[in-house]
Structure formats: structure tokens, C-alpha cells
């Protein structure tokens, strides 16, 4: 790992310190959501123009789920689909905080992005988020659910807690006859909620995502500590990962989640899953959502979109393999 923090990331951390804002773990969840929503705007990548945006209420396991769909242009499809789960520790974040990211990926990958407003803790604890994300993926894979989309070219993705949910959903789709995923986009995913990896200790202070904040998130998400090793909470603990779709796994050198992202890539590789793994050495957790401040955030967004486009191109419209 690089010994030096990227200068832009170092400046961002210093400005956050000088602002004197409260720490997220010091706030109640509702306050934390408002604070995160407001501070996210200051560092978010610019919003790219897309062809169309629509919101839908779709059936979920415990009432309707709101999803927001982005079309990359006004061209007639069918477009491939990325079902995207936002980050925020399963407690904060929403459709608005990740709107710029979804727009960027839609345009870069030339796909429809379906962003999911899944239930969060502590009001709705594990496995509510998993259930909603799986339901949204099943909906997106249903022919006719959206106009001008090809549900045979479908991927899942997310950042941080969303990367965790994407990995879990991908595992649950292995034997799901309704869904055949062609890709998974895992951006600094949380894969081991036991927090046993070395980077969880080495980088537990000073880089925005702290050990205290990680425990705050996990305590609000899980019902008890015994669930930390449940594969639906910690996908690294899954016994079977054979048959998963190809994956892009991105980590950051100064992120407590770095090592578990690497370990998950190694687990998939050992199961003959095609994996592209990349660690942005000088970056911190959440950098892809900070593309308005961090150049590497835009770079990672572009890479993610390009890898998605490549994966979609390998599956012909209507799901027939290219010769």
C-alpha cells in the first residue's frame, strides 16, 4: 500500500476537521441522514444530463419500494440495466445523495441505472435491506417492467454498504431462475462485518470512516453480534461462490475496508470467477462519491462505466451469446 495520502484527499480531510462538524456517530440516525445529505453536496461529482429520469413504486416484501430509473439518452433501446444500491452504512444515504453517481454511470456505460431506496436501520434492521435489494433486482429483470430495456443484460452494483448488498444479491441470484446477472460492480464493499482484517485496525482513525463509525453503522444494521458472520450480512463468509458473474472490485489504500475487499476478490478468483481488482492507493473510503473534489473519484467512475459497458457488450440483445 502507498504510504502517502493523495494530496486532494489530505486537503479534504483537513477541511472537514477545520469545519468542526459533529461526527456522524455522535448523531441520531435521522440527524445523521440530514447531515450526510447536506455535506455530500459539497463534494459530489457534477450531475450529468441523461435522457430521462422516472420514479416507480414497486412491490417489496414489506410494502412498496421506491426506485429511480435513469436512461442514458433519448435513443431507442433496448438498454442494459444496472441495479444500484447506495452506500451509507445501511443507515444513511438515499436516492438524492447518489443521484450524481447514478447519472454518471448511466451515461458512461450507456445503460439504464435503477437506484434503489431500500429500507435501512435502525428502523428496519437486517435482513430488510437485503430483501428489498433482491426484490428490486427481480423486478428489474422482469420483461416489460421498464420501456426500452433488456433485462437479459442486467448487473448489480453499489458502493460501501451498497457494495455489500450487491455482493449478497449476486450470491442469492446464483440459483435464481428468474435472474442471470452478467456483472457485479463492487465499490469498496463491506464484506466482513466481524471487522477482523488488519486494515480495520491500521486505518481505524483519521481517514473519515473510523472504527467507531463502523461499529455505529453495524450496531444500527444488525440485530445482534451473531449476525456478523451470516453470509447475507458478510458475503466473505459465503460457502459457495461458484457461478457468480464477473466482477470489478475497487478499494482504497486508506480505507478500513481495503483488506476485506481484497480478500473477497481472492475468494472469487479461487472459485474461477473473473475479477478485475484495483486499489486506488492514495484514496480514502467514499472517494468515488467525492468526484467533485477528488480527481480519482471521476477516474473510478469512468473505469466502472467502461467495465460495465464491456460486460454488457459481451451479451447480445435478448440474451443470445455473441458468436
Amino acid at each position: 500500500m502507498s504510504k502517502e495520502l493523495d494530496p486532494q484527499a489530505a486537503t479534504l480531510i483537513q477541511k472537514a476537521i477545520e469545519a468542526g462538524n459533529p461526527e456522524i456517530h455522535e448523531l441520531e440516525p435521522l440527524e445523521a441522514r440530514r447531515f450526510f445529505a447536506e455535506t455530500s453536496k459539497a463534494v459530489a461529482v457534477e450531475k450529468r444530463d441523461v435522457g430521462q429520469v422516472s420514479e416507480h413504486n414497486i412491490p417489496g416484501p414489506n410494502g412498496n419500494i421506491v426506485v429511480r430509473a435513469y436512461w442514458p439518452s433519448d435513443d431507442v433501446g433496448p438498454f442494459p440495466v444496472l441495479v444500484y444500491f447506495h452506500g451509507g452504512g445501511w443507515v444513511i444515504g438515499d436516492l438524492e445523495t447518489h443521484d450524481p453517481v447514478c447519472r454518471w454511470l448511466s451515461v458512461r456505460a450507456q445503460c439504464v441505472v435503477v437506484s434503489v431506496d431500500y429500507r435501512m436501520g435502525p428502523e428496519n434492521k437486517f435482513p430488510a435491506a437485503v430483501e428489498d435489494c433482491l426484490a428490486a433486482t427481480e423486478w428489474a429483470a422482469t420483461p416489460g417492467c421498464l420501456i426500452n430495456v433488456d433485462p437479459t443484460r442486467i448487473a448489480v452494483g453499489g458502493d460501501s454498504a451498497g457494495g455489500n448488498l450487491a455482493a449478497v444479491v449476486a450470491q442469492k441470484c446464483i440459483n435464481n431462475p428468474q435472474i442471470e446477472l452478467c456483472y457485479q460492480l463492487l465499490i469498496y464493499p463491506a464484506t466482513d462485518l466481524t471487522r477482523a482484517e488488519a486494515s480495520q485496525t491500521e486505518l481505524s482513525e483519521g481517514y473519515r470512516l473510523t472504527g467507531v463509525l463502523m461499529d455505529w453503522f453495524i450496531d444500527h444494521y444488525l440485530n445482534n453480534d451473531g449476525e456478523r458472520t451470516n453470509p447475507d450480512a458478510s458475503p466473505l463468509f459465503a460457502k459457495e461462490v461458484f457461478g457468480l458473474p464477473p466482477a470489478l472490485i475497487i478499494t482504497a489504500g486508506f480505507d478500513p475496508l481495503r483488506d476485506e475487499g481484497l480478500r473477497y476478490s481472492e475468494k472469487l478468483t479461487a472459485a474461477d470467477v473473473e475479477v478485475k481488482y484495483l486499489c486506488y492507493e492514495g484514496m480514502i473510503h467514499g472517494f468515488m462519491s467525492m468526484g467533485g473534489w477528488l480527481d480519482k473519484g471521476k477516474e473510478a467512475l469512468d473505469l466502472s462505466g467502461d467495465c460495465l459497458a464491456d460486460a454488457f457488450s459481451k451479451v447480445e440483445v435478448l440474451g443470445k451469446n455473441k458468436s
Side-chain angles (χ1 to χ4, degrees):
M1 187 199 79
S2 171
K3 300 295 183 182
E4 294 186 3
L5 192 63
D6 180 276
Q8 290 182 330
T11 301
L12 188 150
I13 291 173
Q14 183 58 37
K15 284 187 173 295
I17 293 172
E18 292 172 355
N21 292 322
E23 298 292 337
I24 287 178
H25 68 266
E26 298 172 340
L27 303 174
E28 293 299 318
L30 287 177
E31 294 177 298
R33 288 168 194 158
R34 287 192 290 266
F35 174 73
F36 181 67
E38 188 60 34
T39 55
S40 294
K41 296 176 184 177
V43 294
V45 71
E46 64 265 25
K47 289 190 177 186
R48 301 189 70 173
D49 292 334
V50 294
Q52 177 186 347
V53 180
S54 61
E55 291 195 0
H56 308 263
N57 287 296
I58 68 171
N62 188 38
N64 285 343
I65 304 166
V66 177
V67 300
R68 181 180 294 173
Y70 302 82
W71 278 260
S73 69
D74 293 326
D75 292 343
V76 175
F79 293 106
V81 184
L82 168 67
V83 186
Y84 194 85
F85 314 124
H86 68 77
W90 311 274
V91 180
I92 61 178
D94 55 30
L95 299 181
E96 291 300 326
T97 60
H98 284 68
D99 179 81
V101 166
C102 291
R103 287 171 175 269
W104 195 287
L105 291 174
S106 179
V107 173
R108 187 75 180 193
Q110 284 297 289
C111 70
V112 170
V113 175
V114 176
S115 183
V116 183
D117 189 22
Y118 56 86
R119 288 173 291 162
M120 297 190 295
E123 298 90 343
N124 296 281
K125 293 205 167 197
F126 175 81
V130 174
E131 294 171 346
D132 285 1
C133 291
L134 180 59
T137 305
E138 291 174 338
W139 174 81
T142 302
C145 70
L146 291 169
I147 299 173
N148 292 335
V149 303
D150 177 10
T152 68
R153 293 183 293 163
I154 185 168
V156 292
D159 59 292
S160 192
N164 165 282
L165 293 166
V168 171
V169 167
Q171 290 180 4
K172 287 186 164 298
C173 288
I174 292 177
N175 297 313
N176 188 329
Q178 184 180 343
I179 308 170
E180 185 174 354
L181 299 176
C182 69
Y183 206 66
Q184 48 182 329
L185 174 64
L186 310 180
I187 309 300
Y188 28 82
T191 68
D192 180 2
L193 300 195
T194 69
R195 300 190 59 232
E197 297 298 325
S199 59
Q200 285 279 359
T201 301
E202 296 168 6
L203 302 168
S204 64
E205 294 183 5
Y207 304 104
R208 291 177 64 87
L209 178 61
T210 64
V212 173
L213 180 55
M214 275 297 301
D215 284 335
W216 187 85
F217 283 140
I218 293 170
D219 288 346
H220 281 311
Y221 178 49
L222 299 182
N223 299 282
N224 55 68
D225 281 346
E227 292 178 338
R228 288 177 182 246
T229 56
N230 186 319
D232 286 354
S234 295
L236 187 61
F237 285 81
K239 293 181 180 180
E240 182 61 79
V241 294
F242 290 97
L244 282 171
L248 170 63
I249 300 179
I250 290 177
T251 60
F254 288 84
D255 182 353
L257 304 186
R258 182 196 66 211
D259 290 357
E260 61 202 74
L262 174 60
R263 280 198 61 199
Y264 194 61
S265 75
E266 294 170 342
K267 184 181 183 77
L268 298 192
T269 300
D272 293 325
V273 177
E274 180 185 338
V275 178
K276 179 180 178 67
Y277 172 81
L278 181 62
C279 179
Y280 284 78
E281 300 289 0
M283 283 291 105
I284 58 176
H285 186 78
F287 76 95
M288 199 176 84
S289 296
M290 304 173 189
W293 187 279
L294 304 175
D295 291 339
K296 292 294 184 182
K298 289 183 180 179
E299 183 180 310
L301 279 168
D302 282 344
L303 174 68
S304 299
D306 292 346
C307 288
L308 281 165
D310 182 64
F312 291 139
S313 74
K314 294 175 180 177
V315 184
E316 195 174 9
V317 174
L318 304 180
K320 297 178 181 178
N321 291 330
K322 290 188 179 224
S323 58

